[in-house]
Amino acid sequence: MSLRRSLLGATLLTGLLATQAYAENTFKFAFQGTLKSLDPYSLNETFTLGTLNNVYEGLTRRGPDLQIRPALAESWEVVEPTRWRFHLRKDVKFHNGNDFTAADVVFSADRVRSEGSDLKTRIPADAKFEIVDDHTVDVVLTSPNPILHYEWDTWGIIDKEWAEANDSVRVTSASDQSATTISLQANGTGPFKITNHDAGVKTTLAANPDWWDAANKKYNVDTIEFATIASDATRVAALLSGEMDLVYPIPVQDIKRVNDNAATAALTGPELRTIFLGMDQMRDELLYSNIKGKNPFKDQRVREAFYHAIDIEAIKEKVMRNLSTPSSIMISPFMFDNASKIARLGYDPDASKNLLKEAGYADGFEVGMDCPNDRYVNDEAICQAVVAMLARVGIKVNLNAQPKAQYFAKVLASGGFDTSFYLLGWTPGSFDSWNVLSNLHGCRDEAGNGGMFNLGGYCNEDVDSLTAQILVENDPNKRLDLITQAYQITTAESAYIPLHQQGLAWGVSDGFDVVQRADNVLMLYHVNKK
């Protein structure tokens, strides 16, 4: 896998207003969306996982350059083609004082693949975890897997003893509104402990003095205060007034304002996330449409018509203020070397109308669209633009824009894939195309088995076959060819409508050092007060 490291990590000096003084080194930050459940397996969403990564740790972690580094596993090896051995770090304590052992890894492997988990794809379903001793675990596979551990930085290990004692063996799913111990409290091994959690409103963390990596501690913040500020204007005002030390995202139209303020700066850079539109291609009749007895999205001509109706340059210029890169595929070109070989369909309203006519929808039709309004950069504004563009070719879209907690509870597997047409963003946690092809394109059944985040149910058995080959292929050239073939098929079939890779825009004050990673994750041990 080739990553342009110059684009993957950016560090900027930022910090606290000079007029403020805290008794402790306190760092206050705000995000547009909420932190609801503290169960690290509830929601496969970057902000939630990234925030909880400061509390729970994986066997691996990623540095500012996003390269894989040891964490709770200090080393690993492939002892046989289908057997990996992980040597666990000794003398690690959970926040409640319990010892970290191999039993916790095996328990977490079972739990992350259990009902309700949104992170099931972190581990192959048929992988077996075997305890060699208290600090050694073998993972036995049914076939080779060169990227087994690529996503394990976001698979946080849970204390088996604590979970069993606190009725927290069951995963609290994204659509589960019940309060459980693990959804309201956290017990990890990480550098920060959660000391107070007002779900969806505010969370306070304190530095963990017993963190196993304290000898290499490079941060000096003691207390972290996180708050949800949904309003763009309020979020920016909180930064400019000194109420917050970091807010994100900041609207692209406010970047100059933040930079012009003497005590703040805008930290911008490329993000690896792809924003796209998906369509229900699985049901025989759409849940939300005036077309009854059939599903228009099963017809490739209709999907292409929607694609041709999207003026991506207008979205880039007017909605994103040029802080986006139009995409032809479902992965950032920085993670796929043959990206230039695949072109997106052009904006062509006439072609769109002709395709709709050929498909039997000369007068268009109505369809419901689900969209988050506090998850991605300008997400609701993008959806509103899409609604207007489709109206020009005769499609009436009834937009349902909701906060991300309600949105994800509705459209994900835990909500029964309750959507007909939607906007979603995806950063492959492995920074590899297999993740995209398996999660977003893999055939699934009504129960959700298969492509877990393939909300629209796209299915092509040839793509599934290629995806299976990609998983076990070690030769990089052969692997790249297989990936290219898969993307050529999915693009030709308009499986999705890729829009763009959004840009990162954080607003920060000038008394802290902060590292901005290209996966849009804020690691608090990369924050230092000057």
Side-chain angles (χ1 to χ4, degrees), residues 92-110:
V92 174
K93 299 282 188 181
F94 285 95
H95 293 162
N96 68 347
N98 286 349
D99 291 327
F100 161 67
T101 70
D104 302 309
V105 176
V106 175
F107 170 78
S108 298
D110 291 337

Side-chain angles (χ1 to χ4, degrees), residues 367-430:
V367 65
M369 180 182 189
D370 291 290
C371 181
N373 60 18
D374 63 353
R375 177 60 194 93
Y376 311 113
V377 177
N378 295 336
D379 42 16
E380 185 173 6
I382 294 169
C383 290
Q384 290 170 342
V386 168
V387 169
M389 291 169 184
L390 287 169
R392 295 173 195 153
V393 299
I395 302 296
K396 181 181 178 182
V397 178
N398 301 308
L399 181 61
N400 177 29
Q402 301 182 90
K404 69 184 181 76
Q406 291 95 319
Y407 168 79
F408 285 127
K410 180 178 188 291
V411 305
L412 294 180
S414 59
F417 305 107
D418 183 12
T419 186
S420 294
F421 181 44
Y422 60 93
L423 178 138
L424 192 65
W426 190 262
T427 303
S430 62

Side-chain angles (χ1 to χ4, degrees), residues 15 27 126-127 140 172 210 214 246 279 281 327 380 394 471 485 492 498:
F27 178 72
D126 54 2
V140 182
T172 311
D210 300 317
L246 182 149
M279 300 152 282
Q281 302 163 54
S327 181
E380 185 173 6
L471 181 61
Q485 291 180 50

Side-chain angles (χ1 to χ4, degrees), residues 304-495:
E304 289 183 8
F306 271 55
Y307 201 145
H308 277 303
I310 305 303
D311 186 349
I312 194 61
E313 291 299 326
I315 291 176
K316 175 184 177 181
E317 295 171 15
K318 297 177 181 179
V319 179
M320 299 301 293
R321 304 290 182 97
N322 292 312
L323 198 67
S324 65
T325 303
S327 181
S328 61
I329 51 175
M330 297 289 287
I331 191 171
S332 166
F334 299 114
M335 293 183 281
F336 173 50
D337 290 340
N338 281 348
S340 61
K341 294 184 177 181
I342 299 177
R344 66 174 291 116
L345 291 182
Y347 172 56
D348 191 338
D350 290 335
S352 179
K353 292 177 183 178
N354 289 335
L355 285 165
L356 288 171
K357 183 177 180 180
E358 289 177 17
Y361 304 101
D363 296 325
F365 59 89
E366 291 185 28
V367 65
M369 180 182 189
D370 291 290
C371 181
N373 60 18
D374 63 353
R375 177 60 194 93
Y376 311 113
V377 177
N378 295 336
D379 42 16
E380 185 173 6
I382 294 169
C383 290
Q384 290 170 342
V386 168
V387 169
M389 291 169 184
L390 287 169
R392 295 173 195 153
V393 299
I395 302 296
K396 181 181 178 182
V397 178
N398 301 308
L399 181 61
N400 177 29
Q402 301 182 90
K404 69 184 181 76
Q406 291 95 319
Y407 168 79
F408 285 127
K410 180 178 188 291
V411 305
L412 294 180
S414 59
F417 305 107
D418 183 12
T419 186
S420 294
F421 181 44
Y422 60 93
L423 178 138
L424 192 65
W426 190 262
T427 303
S430 62
F431 308 119
D432 177 84
S433 284
W434 179 85
N435 172 286
V436 175
L437 293 167
S438 176
N439 284 288
L440 298 181
H441 298 86
C443 295
R444 68 167 176 82
D445 58 26
E446 295 286 352
N449 300 311
M452 190 170 176
F453 298 93
N454 180 3
L455 311 185
Y458 166 81
C459 182
N460 184 308
E461 293 182 358
D462 290 337
V463 173
D464 270 12
S465 176
L466 287 166
T467 302
Q469 295 176 61
I470 290 163
L471 181 61
V472 301
E473 180 55 65
N474 286 306
D475 184 289
N477 292 324
K478 291 180 180 178
R479 198 168 187 273
L480 178 61
D481 180 63
L482 293 169
I483 292 170
T484 303
Q485 291 180 50
Y487 282 140
Q488 287 172 336
I489 294 172
T490 60
T491 301
E493 294 185 336
S494 295

Side-chain angles (χ1 to χ4, degrees), residues 26-27 50 77 85 119 137 182 221 247 260 319 324 339 347 353 370 389 396 450 526:
T26 300
F27 178 72
E77 58 193 318
R85 177 160 294 169
L119 275 70
V137 173
I182 198 168
V221 288
V247 301
D260 287 346
V319 179
S324 65
Y347 172 56
K353 292 177 183 178
D370 291 290
M389 291 169 184
K396 181 181 178 182
H526 290 153

Side-chain angles (χ1 to χ4, degrees), residues 221-249:
V221 288
D222 303 311
T223 303
I224 307 293
E225 295 181 5
F226 161 72
T228 296
I229 303 180
S231 164
D232 289 343
T234 306
R235 204 163 52 249
V236 172
L239 172 72
L240 297 179
S241 70
E243 179 185 350
M244 288 290 161
D245 304 312
L246 182 149
V247 301
Y248 71 111

Side-chain angles (χ1 to χ4, degrees), residues 38-39 79 90 149 177 195 315 350 363 475:
L38 298 182
D39 188 333
V79 294
K90 299 177 181 178
H149 63 314
Q177 300 301 311
T195 57
I315 291 176
D350 290 335
D363 296 325
D475 184 289

